[in-house]
């Protein structure tokens, strides 16, 4: 049995070979637990798949932003995709390289742009004419030239969840092709801006290479068009969204994206940037939570109440997202594939339960009618594939403190983010201002 990643060894869930129950015992629950082996394996698989095009891989910080993890990835040559001054600050604090960091986002403020110019980020992914003008002005004031890409909105349906699609024309992201041509033309009168890139991010997760191929074709056509205007594009950034499997089913590996893009990329001979987040981070993290109570309603419906909630992992409440959940110690083997609507295995003593958190919202439900071996109060559950958009989307709602974060490195669990305290909850507020 592999000691890399999350595996059951003799009925005990282990992270890089360390039983997760020991970690929960030591650091308490709810707790985010990350496998450094999985993070590094997923990154190197991704790097290998696209190696022929020597891409700059900019890990999407919004998916997983813990400083120790950014440092781990930076150590492997990773760059970063940031969408705010705060994320750039994290990258810098973690020792990440600003010159390998791209800055996206529809609403960059003057302060954020100045911060990014000061640290000399690799490129701004510009999302409006106004933003282009502001970058030009601020760069001119600073006496520097900002490298920029235009984020194109190609109006491609990547068939993602409707809340996470970004490449349709009704979405706020990017600039449509005809407006983009105007914005690009304007830059020829902006000496403080070097328009050298085109960017696209279609949504996430995307379970097929086809939308990427379509996006790349659109960008390639636009590169040609800009050449006609004497604008030379040297970099194409295809964004993130590369899928991973939340159910255990087979999904396209990074190679299949690479293969689909190869012909066009070979022809273009252009620098490539990719911004994967969840593909690397999601399977590298679980949320550990303990059963506090069980209860049944008058109809016999069963609830398992755990100490992890929607403030810790928002995805199920926000998107109806599916995460596999299984006891950390169990004689019953976790099914290889677990899907929404799966029935309890025939003849097993599994029961169907709603796994819910303590937050006062009915949508604080990690799983509905989920077949599970019988669990009792005090049992530990693992919510899988929570490494991406887990901790980064957590909050203090209902006065709940954010969870601890533990990273296993070389079979050693390291507390890389301590659990918040009640003092943390009120630390920014100033009672002396009260009348
Ligand atoms: N690049 C840009 C410009 C993005 O907006 C995103 C994600 C990524 C890269 C990384 O996408 P990834 O490879 O991680 O799929 N909270 C949602 C996901 C929102 C994604 C927003 N943008 C979720 O929990 O599924």
């Amino acid at each position: 049995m592999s000691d890399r990643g999350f595996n059951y060894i003799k009925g005990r869930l282990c992270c890089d070979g360390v039983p997760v129950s020991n970690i929960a015992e030591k650091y308490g629950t709810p707790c985010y637990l990350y496998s450094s082996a999985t993070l590094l394996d997923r990154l190197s698989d991704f790097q290998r798949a696209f190696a022929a095009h020597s891409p700059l891989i900019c890990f999407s910080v919004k998916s997983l932003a813990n400083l120790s993890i950014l440092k781990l990835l930076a150590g492997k040559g990773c760059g970063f995709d940031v969408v705010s001054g705060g994320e750039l600050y994290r990258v810098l604090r973690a020792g990440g390289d600003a010159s390998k960091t791209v800055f996206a986002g529809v609403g960059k403020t003057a302060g954020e742009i100045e911060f990014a110019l000061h640290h000399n980020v690799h490129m701004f992914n510009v999302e409006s004419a106004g933003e282009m003008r502001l970058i030009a002005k601020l760069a001119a004031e600073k006496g520097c030239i900002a490298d920029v890409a235009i984020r194109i909105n190609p109006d491609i349906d990547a068939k993602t969840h409707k809340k996470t699609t970004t490449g349709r024309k009704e979405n706020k992201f990017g600039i449509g092709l005809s407006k983009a041509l105007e914005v690009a033309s304007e830059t020829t009168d902006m000496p403080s801006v070097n328009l050298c890139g085109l960017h696209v991010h279609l949504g996430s997760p995307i379970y097929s290479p086809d939308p990427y191929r379509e996006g790349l074709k659109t960008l390639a056509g636009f590169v040609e068009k800009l050449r006609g205007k004497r604008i030379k594009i040297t970099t194409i950034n295809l964004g993130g969204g590369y899928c991973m499997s939340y159910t255990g089913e087979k999904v396209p590996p990074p190679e299949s994206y690479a293969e689909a893009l190869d012909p066009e990329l070979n022809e273009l001979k252009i620098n490539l940037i990719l911004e994967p987040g969840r593909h690397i981070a999601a399977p590298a993290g679980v949320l550990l939570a303990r059963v506090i109570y069980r209860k049944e309603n008058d109809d016999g419906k069963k609830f398992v109440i755990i100490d992890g909630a929607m403030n810790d992992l928002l995805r199920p409440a926000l998107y109806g997202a599916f995460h596999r959940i299984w006891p950390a110690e169990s004689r019953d083997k976790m099914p290889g594939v677990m899907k929404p609507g799966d029935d309890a295995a025939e003849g097993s003593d599994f029961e169907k339960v709603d796994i819910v958190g303590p937050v006062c919202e009915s949508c604080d439900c990690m799983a509905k009618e989920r077949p599970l071996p019988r669990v009792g109060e005090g049992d530990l559950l693992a919510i899988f594939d929570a490494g991406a958009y887990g901790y980064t989307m957590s909050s203090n709602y209902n006065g709940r403190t954010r969870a601890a974060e533990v990273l296993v490195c070389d079979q050693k669990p390291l507390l890389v983010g301590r659990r918040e305290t009640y003092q943390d909850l009120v630390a920014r507020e100033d009672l002396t201002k009260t009348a």
Side-chain angles (χ1 to χ4, degrees):
M1 188 53 79
S2 162
D3 60 1
R4 295 181 80 74
F6 293 96
N7 295 294
Y8 280 89
I9 302 176
K10 294 190 183 136
R12 302 183 83 189
L13 179 64
C14 294
C15 174
D16 296 355
V18 182
V20 305
S21 52
N22 297 356
I23 294 170
E25 201 67 52
K26 181 156 181 200
Y27 298 106
T29 51
C31 171
Y32 273 98
L33 176 57
Y34 307 107
S35 150
S36 59
T38 302
L39 285 164
L40 296 178
D41 290 349
R42 302 283 292 187
L43 173 63
S44 63
D45 286 352
F46 200 85
Q47 285 168 329
R48 204 172 315 119
F50 285 94
H53 307 291
S54 322
L56 171 60
I57 294 186
C58 294
F59 175 71
S60 193
V61 173
K62 66 179 82 62
S63 67
L64 176 57
N66 183 282
L67 293 181
S68 304
I69 289 173
L70 300 184
K71 182 176 168 197
L72 183 76
L73 298 176
K76 296 293 170 192
C78 214
F80 298 97
D81 150 49
V82 300
V83 287
S84 66
E87 285 191 351
L88 175 57
Y89 179 75
R90 280 188 168 275
V91 167
L92 298 169
R93 279 296 295 270
D97 190 345
S99 71
K100 289 184 182 172
T101 299
V102 291
F103 192 176
V106 293
K108 301 176 193 77
T109 62
E112 289 177 315
I113 294 168
E114 280 166 349
F115 183 45
L117 286 172
H118 177 74
H119 288 284
N120 228 336
V121 294
H122 184 65
M123 207 173 275
F124 290 87
N125 294 329
V126 176
E127 308 219 17
S128 65
E131 182 192 335
M132 188 70 90
R133 283 179 215 129
L134 184 56
I135 292 174
K137 175 172 167 282
L138 297 173
E141 280 167 15
K142 203 178 171 306
C144 64
I145 297 175
D147 283 343
V148 299
I150 293 182
R151 177 168 176 176
I152 299 294
N153 182 321
D155 195 24
I156 290 173
D157 183 0
K159 309 245 175 340
T160 67
H161 187 283
K162 72 174 184 316
K163 287 189 181 164
T164 56
T165 196
T166 55
R168 304 298 307 274
K169 65 172 174 238
E170 65 264 31
N171 303 133
K172 67 179 175 181
F173 299 99
I175 308 177
L177 285 173
S178 60
K179 285 260 167 15
L181 197 58
E182 289 168 25
V183 174
S185 306
E186 266 192 54
T187 63
T188 52
D189 293 328
M190 295 176 175
S192 56
V193 148
N194 172 32
L195 173 58
C196 54
L198 294 178
H199 174 231
V200 73
H201 170 75
L202 300 170
S204 74
I206 301 174
Y207 287 93
S208 154
D210 298 344
Y212 289 90
R213 196 190 300 131
E214 210 184 318
L216 178 58
K217 284 203 162 117
T218 306
L219 294 191
F222 202 60
V223 168
E224 271 309 303
K225 209 162 200 172
L226 291 180
R227 190 167 293 156
K229 294 204 168 270
R230 293 215 175 78
I231 296 171
K232 189 166 165 18
I233 297 297
T234 51
T235 298
I236 275 189
N237 178 340
L238 292 175
Y242 312 92
C243 69
M244 55 76 52
S245 177
Y246 284 97
T247 57
E249 293 163 287
K250 271 207 159 15
V251 296
E255 291 75 25
S256 63
Y257 295 94
E259 276 162 27
L261 297 172
D262 271 349
E264 204 77 44
L265 285 174
N266 290 337
E267 197 163 312
L268 272 169
K269 293 197 179 53
I270 206 159
N271 300 321
L272 179 65
I273 298 180
L274 304 167
E275 303 173 338
R278 103 179 55 228
H279 177 83
I280 292 168
V286 303
L287 176 61
L288 296 177
R290 245 180 234 292
V291 177
I292 316 175
Y293 304 112
R294 298 179 51 103
K295 70 175 184 179
E296 266 183 41
N297 73 5
D298 287 347
D299 299 333
K301 181 176 172 62
K302 292 170 178 152
F303 296 96
V304 167
I305 303 164
I306 59 175
D307 60 7
M310 65 185 282
N311 76 295
D312 301 301
L313 178 64
L314 184 60
R315 303 189 74 254
L318 189 60
Y319 312 119
F322 180 89
H323 285 263
R324 293 177 288 173
I325 303 179
W326 205 249
E329 306 208 338
S330 177
R331 278 180 292 119
D332 295 293
K333 203 166 170 304
M334 179 166 122
V337 174
M338 217 188 271
K339 282 191 291 193
D342 266 1
D343 262 343
E346 192 107 1
S348 73
D349 54 2
F350 295 173
E351 52 179 3
K352 281 196 175 173
V353 294
D354 279 14
I355 303 168
V356 301
V359 162
C360 299
E361 299 271 358
S362 290
C363 65
D364 181 21
C365 182
M366 295 290 173
K368 263 200 175 3
E369 294 288 302
R370 183 68 67 83
L372 206 68
R374 202 193 137 82
V375 290
E377 291 168 10
D379 285 353
L380 186 64
L381 297 185
I383 304 174
F384 288 87
D385 306 313
Y389 307 104
Y391 192 89
T392 52
M393 291 175 78
S394 65
S395 76
N396 293 125
Y397 186 42
N398 272 208
R400 289 173 54 84
T401 52
R402 282 192 185 79
E405 293 183 284
V406 175
L407 173 68
V408 179
C409 275
D410 299 329
Q411 310 212 316
K412 276 195 220 58
L414 309 171
L415 182 65
V416 292
R418 66 161 172 80
R419 182 179 309 286
E420 279 181 334
T421 62
Y422 290 158
Q423 286 76 28
D424 290 327
L425 292 182
V426 296
R428 293 171 306 103
E429 296 170 39
D430 189 348
L431 250 189
T432 65
K433 299 282 161 55
T434 315

